[in-house]
């Protein structure tokens, strides 16, 4: 890649950093040693960067001594002096830095493509892993910004003030996305960059609550991604349709064909305006991650929901399922930060919690999940199979306990579960008129 590097350009950048480190200090944050492709320039940059970080005096003598020490090259002093005195200029430093970093990106682009070709040509190549790794590398090259994240109090204040004003104006970017449930929204919302876990025992209704929240988000114009590892698109959408028409597979039989046709027609008319993208993904985390990234890029997904955690698998050598879940949990949180969207992950709690409101420690393989999650919501209700009195009930009392909320309140949201439409609704105080 000889044509994709320039020692002259790299030395001009070094000369500027050498002679005016305070003036050009920001470039120590915007470039890295990997941007230098020659051994001499890379070493000299490392020295200048170390000296600057340690507040050491940068002179031709001090840098030359360090260069000789690191390279064991007595002739290195002449090279350092040549950079310091013969090339030292502040003119066009910004252009030199851009030229150097552009060349660096081109080299990384070629290496990434070479990797894809080399790995893809293997007989037992893992195609999903190659695609995910390549896509991620290309995205990093295209979107990389290494500007310093260190901000002065005054500069950071602008963003903080904007957030506070956003709360006053009900700006969703500041306060999060409303789930559509009054009692939940009184406590918390789905915030960008956060990982929210919704957990419960089997057959309590986590998928139904997921669908209800997705519908509410969609109705508010929020592009929502639902990735299910448990059911196909048709099955999930059938549940949503039942909710829309206020029925289930049993009660729908009480409707006449004309009534059912009318209700379905109304739902179909609304479907064209829906903001939900359903994806019956496989169970491999690499593929799930890649599909969410693409959905964000292609259709502007604002909230992603995954059903559910314990079904996800990730390739690699792990001592236990707990280690595997820990890796997946950390990557979900990392993906939420990377894409700057809320990611809602459904999960199951241990069966030992039957009949009682679950605790955060009841999450299966819970240690890492508790640590990584920004919010943990625990859903609970009695099941019809556990209580004879609930069979045929129009609605069943349910609670959603927000047990962890890193950036907000905790509390309990009262809900109703309607078995007839597999739908959750707010449980609000009943109005009693004064007579």
């Amino acid at each position: 890649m000889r044509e994709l590097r320039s020692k002259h350009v790299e030395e001009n950048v070094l000369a500027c950093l050498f002679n005016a480190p305070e003036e050009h200090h920001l470039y120590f944050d915007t470039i890295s040693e990997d941007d230098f492709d020659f051994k001499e320039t890379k070493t000299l940059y490392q020295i200048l960067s170390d000296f600057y970080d340690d507040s050491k005096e940068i002179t031709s003598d001090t840098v030359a001594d360090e260069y000789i020490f690191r390279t064991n090259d007595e002739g290195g002093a002449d090279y350092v002096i040549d950079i310091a005195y013969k090339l030292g200029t502040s003119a066009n430093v910004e252009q030199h830095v851009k030229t150097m970093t552009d060349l660096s990106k081109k080299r990384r682009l070629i290496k990434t493509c070479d990797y894809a070709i080399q790995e893809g040509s293997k007989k037992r190549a893992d195609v999903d892993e190659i695609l995910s790794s390549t896509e991620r590398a290309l995205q990093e090259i295209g979107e990389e910004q290494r500007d310093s994240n260190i901000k002065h109090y005054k500069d950071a204040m602008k963003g903080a003030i904007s957030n506070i004003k956003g709360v006053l104006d009900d700006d969703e970017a500041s306060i999060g996305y409303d789930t559509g449930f009054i009692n939940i929204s009184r406590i918390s919302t789905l915030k960008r960059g956060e990982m929210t876990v919704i957990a419960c025992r089997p057959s309590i209704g986590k998928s139904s609550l997921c669908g209800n929240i997705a519908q509410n988000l969609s109705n508010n114009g929020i592009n929502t991604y639902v990735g299910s590892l448990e059911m196909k698109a048709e099955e999930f959408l059938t549940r949503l349709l039942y909710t829309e028409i206020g029925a289930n597979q049993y009660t729908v039989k009480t409707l006449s064909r004309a009534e059912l046709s009318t209700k379905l027609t109304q739902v179909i008319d609304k479907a064209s305006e829906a903001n939900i993208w359903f994806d019956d993904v496989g169970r491999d985390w690499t593929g799930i991650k890649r599909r969410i990234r693409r959905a964000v890029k292609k259709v502007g997904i604002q909230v992603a929901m995954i059903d559910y955690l314990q079904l996800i698998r990730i390739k690699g050598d792990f001592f236990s399922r707990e280690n595997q879940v820990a890796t997946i949990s950390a990557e979900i949180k990392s993906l939420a930060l990377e894409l700057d969207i809320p990611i809602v992950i459904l999960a199951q709690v241990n069966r030992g919690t039957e009949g009682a409101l679950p605790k955060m420690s009841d999450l299966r393989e819970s240690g890492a999940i508790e640590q990584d999650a920004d919010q943990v919501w625990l859903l609970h209700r009695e099941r019809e199979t556990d209580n004879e009195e609930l069979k045929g009930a129009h609605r069943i009392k349910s609670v959603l306990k927000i047990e962890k909320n890193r950036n907000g309140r905790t509390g309990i949201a009262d809900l109703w579960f309607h078995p007839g439409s597999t739908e959750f609704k707010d449980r609000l105080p009943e109005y009693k008129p004064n007579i």
Side-chain angles (χ1 to χ4, degrees):
M1 297 186 206
R2 186 174 300 172
E3 69 281 3
L4 292 181
R5 61 180 188 167
S6 170
K7 197 170 187 178
H8 172 72
V9 170
E10 292 181 16
E11 289 176 339
N12 268 288
V13 172
L14 290 171
C16 295
L17 296 177
F18 198 114
N19 288 284
E22 294 299 330
E23 181 182 346
H24 304 304
H25 69 94
L26 291 178
Y27 291 115
F28 283 112
D29 295 318
T30 60
I31 60 180
S32 78
E33 62 185 69
D34 293 330
D35 290 324
F36 295 87
D37 203 47
F38 294 87
K39 183 179 179 180
E40 301 91 340
T41 56
K42 186 187 293 286
T43 301
L44 186 50
Y45 173 78
Q46 291 171 337
I47 295 171
L48 293 174
S49 181
D50 290 344
F51 272 38
Y52 182 79
D53 290 341
D54 296 336
S55 299
K56 291 183 179 180
E57 185 180 11
I58 296 178
T59 68
S60 57
D61 290 336
T62 57
V63 174
D65 288 343
E66 183 67 19
Y67 188 92
I68 293 171
F69 174 76
R70 295 192 186 189
T71 64
N72 199 28
D73 178 11
E74 292 295 334
D78 293 335
Y79 179 68
V80 172
I81 292 173
D82 187 52
I83 296 291
Y85 293 104
K86 295 183 180 180
L87 298 174
T89 175
S90 296
N92 301 320
V93 59
E94 189 171 340
Q95 183 59 45
H96 289 317
V97 170
K98 185 179 186 309
T99 300
M100 183 180 71
T101 53
D102 282 351
L103 290 172
S104 175
K105 287 181 180 180
K106 289 178 181 178
R107 293 194 299 270
R108 292 171 59 196
L109 178 61
I110 291 174
K111 286 181 180 179
T112 300
C113 294
D114 286 343
Y115 160 81
I117 293 171
Q118 182 179 355
E119 293 297 313
S121 63
K122 295 180 179 178
K123 289 184 179 180
R124 297 184 179 181
D126 186 332
V127 177
D128 286 337
E129 181 62 37
I130 295 170
L131 285 172
S132 181
S133 299
T134 303
E135 184 176 44
R136 175 64 173 151
L138 292 174
Q139 186 178 28
E140 287 179 350
I141 295 170
E143 299 177 358
E144 184 175 46
Q145 291 183 340
R146 285 188 289 241
D147 292 345
S148 173
N149 288 321
I150 301 175
K151 293 182 178 179
H152 184 270
Y153 182 87
K154 182 179 179 181
D155 295 327
M157 181 70 75
K158 297 176 182 178
I161 290 173
S162 177
N163 287 339
I164 293 173
K165 288 182 177 179
V167 172
L168 187 64
D169 297 334
D170 289 334
D171 176 36
E172 288 172 331
S174 300
I175 65 175
Y177 298 112
D178 191 335
T179 60
F181 289 90
I182 295 173
N183 287 340
I184 296 177
S185 297
R186 284 171 177 167
I187 306 171
S188 189
T189 56
L190 300 175
K191 301 179 183 69
R192 286 168 28 177
E194 288 196 351
M195 168 184 171
T196 297
V197 176
I198 301 179
C200 64
R201 290 178 288 131
S203 304
I204 294 298
K206 63 182 181 301
S207 296
S208 295
L209 182 61
C210 171
N212 298 156
I213 292 175
Q215 283 180 308
N216 293 339
L217 290 169
S218 172
N219 291 339
N220 287 329
I222 307 302
N223 293 338
T224 307
Y225 170 97
V226 179
S228 177
L229 289 73
E230 194 173 27
M231 62 183 78
K232 295 293 184 181
E234 291 76 12
E235 184 180 353
F236 183 85
L237 292 175
T238 298
R239 289 193 178 195
L240 293 188
L241 285 176
Y242 275 134
T243 299
E244 289 283 351
I245 65 176
N248 61 24
Q249 58 183 322
Y250 305 110
T251 58
V252 73
K253 295 178 181 179
T254 64
L255 299 175
S256 68
R257 288 190 176 276
E259 290 174 321
L260 179 59
S261 178
T262 300
K263 288 178 177 289
L264 288 176
T265 299
Q266 294 172 345
V267 172
I268 292 171
D269 290 341
K270 290 174 59 179
S272 61
E273 302 174 1
N275 296 284
I276 300 177
W277 281 261
F278 186 86
D279 193 2
D280 43 0
V281 297
R283 299 191 176 190
D284 175 55
W285 170 244
T286 301
I288 295 170
K289 183 167 55 175
R290 188 177 70 248
R291 292 161 85 111
I292 293 175
R293 281 200 189 109
R294 287 182 178 176
V296 170
K297 184 176 181 180
K298 288 186 176 181
V299 299
I301 289 299
Q302 295 164 279
V303 177
M305 312 181 81
I306 306 172
D307 182 14
Y308 62 94
L309 177 63
Q310 280 83 6
L311 294 180
I312 300 175
R313 295 294 180 265
I314 188 169
K315 293 181 176 66
D317 297 325
F318 298 95
F319 295 110
S320 65
R321 175 59 181 162
E322 285 76 10
N323 294 133
Q324 192 177 49
V325 169
T327 301
I328 295 169
S329 176
E331 292 212 6
I332 292 172
K333 171 58 182 174
S334 177
L335 188 64
L337 288 170
E338 173 197 329
L339 300 177
D340 194 28
I341 63 170
I343 295 185
V344 179
I345 179 78
L346 307 190
Q348 284 189 355
V349 298
N350 295 315
R351 290 184 179 273
T353 62
E354 295 289 339
L357 178 64
K359 302 185 295 293
M360 194 155 52
S361 58
D362 294 324
L363 281 165
R364 292 182 181 177
E365 301 97 15
S366 64
I369 302 173
E370 290 181 45
Q371 179 67 30
D372 296 325
D374 296 284
Q375 300 191 61
V376 177
W377 299 0
L378 301 171
L379 180 65
H380 175 67
R381 68 175 178 86
E382 282 194 276
R383 289 180 297 206
E384 301 89 308
T385 54
D386 298 334
N387 188 337
E388 288 289 331
E389 295 181 1
L390 295 179
K391 291 184 178 180
H394 170 62
R395 59 186 185 178
I396 301 172
K397 286 184 177 181
S398 309
V399 295
L400 183 74
K401 183 180 182 182
I402 300 178
E403 184 157 316
K404 177 182 179 181
N405 191 353
R406 185 168 283 149
N407 298 304
R409 299 167 54 200
T410 57
I412 293 180
D414 293 324
L415 304 173
W416 287 112
F417 177 68
H418 293 255
S421 58
T422 63
E423 180 181 15
F424 285 92
K425 293 183 179 180
D426 278 301
R427 179 152 50 100
L428 302 171
E430 295 185 1
Y431 173 68
K432 295 182 179 180
N434 295 322
I435 299 176

